[in-house]
Amino acid sequence: MSRLVNRVAAIGAAAASAALLAYFREQFAEGLKWLVSPIIRRLPWHREALAHSPQHGLSSNLTIADLFLLTTDGKRAVYAKAGDYVVGSEPLSSYFEGVTTSGDARNFATEMGVILETKTEHGFHVSEIDLGALLPAGTHFHNEYRAELYDSFTSEEEHWTQEIALPTKHFTLRVHFPKKRPPILLRCKRLVGLAEYQMKTSVRTATLFGRPSVMWEIKEPQLGEIYKLEWRW
């Protein structure tokens, strides 16, 4: 009887130790995230990627991000982001647009103003756009930012992520596929830290610009949220 009691006690102690270990691992991970988050925010590529966020007071009524997959092998693509912007409480003469890709990005262009420079850090390409004038508070303007992407979508299963870097009332993500290689599977996700959560939402398919296209509409997205569209083709 005493051996049985000892074994039960040993099993209980082992289970409690495992539970405590799991708990402390979780707490350590959360503590580490809290500890390093101020440092991460100061990293140069993080600052530049968020340089066009709320401190400039710029917002958008409508933002449309288009990804044109030009070749069936995925080696050539064009990214175009168009926005109907509103200047906030302070006058604005320049702002930032950016794109990130697993391959190479070149030939950055802006419809309005000129690109002063494009800095590249750890896959982030951030362009400073001079609008050519000091726009008063409350000014509405439209602009489109474009970049050519190379060697970015060469796998059978690929994805595109988009961060809501400016407050926007409505965001639309559109991916345009080659005629000979449309998508056969689609997944919509939201990224939170290192975790991915599949969303209960639907995308529409249509023919746009003579291509099979996928459209994902998001009403009133939250600033800083990251959306991910995955496809198998």
Side-chain angles (χ1 to χ4, degrees), residues 119-160:
K119 294 183 179 180
T120 301
E121 290 281 356
H122 299 266
F124 286 98
H125 307 272
V126 181
S127 300
E128 183 178 2
I129 299 174
D130 187 335
L131 298 172
L134 185 63
L135 304 182
T139 301
H140 291 247
F141 70 93
H142 176 88
N143 196 24
E144 180 173 302
Y145 173 76
R146 299 172 66 90
E148 296 177 5
L149 310 180
Y150 294 88
D151 302 320
S152 298
F153 306 98
T154 57
S155 299
E156 184 178 357
E157 186 163 324
E158 282 292 354
H159 67 273
W160 182 258

Side-chain angles (χ1 to χ4, degrees), residues 10-85:
I11 293 172
S17 298
L20 282 172
L21 181 60
Y23 172 77
F24 283 121
R25 281 178 178 171
E26 181 182 354
Q27 294 301 307
F28 177 76
E30 291 298 321
L32 184 62
K33 186 188 300 184
W34 172 83
L35 182 64
V36 302
S37 59
I39 301 173
I40 292 175
R41 288 194 207 92
R42 287 175 169 79
L43 293 175
W45 55 88
H46 189 85
R47 290 201 312 271
E48 290 166 359
L50 298 180
H52 50 295
S53 62
Q55 63 263 29
H56 291 283
L58 187 64
S59 63
S60 172
N61 289 324
L62 173 64
T63 302
I64 301 176
D66 284 294
L67 178 65
F68 296 88
L69 302 168
L70 302 180
T71 56
T72 55
D73 60 6
K75 290 187 175 182
R76 289 186 57 225
V78 169
Y79 168 75
K81 178 189 173 187
D84 292 327
Y85 298 105

Side-chain angles (χ1 to χ4, degrees), residues 169-182:
K169 294 180 180 179
H170 190 101
F171 172 69
T172 301
L173 174 61
R174 305 189 299 196
V175 181
H176 312 282
F177 293 84
K179 290 183 179 180
K180 296 183 180 180
R181 201 180 180 191

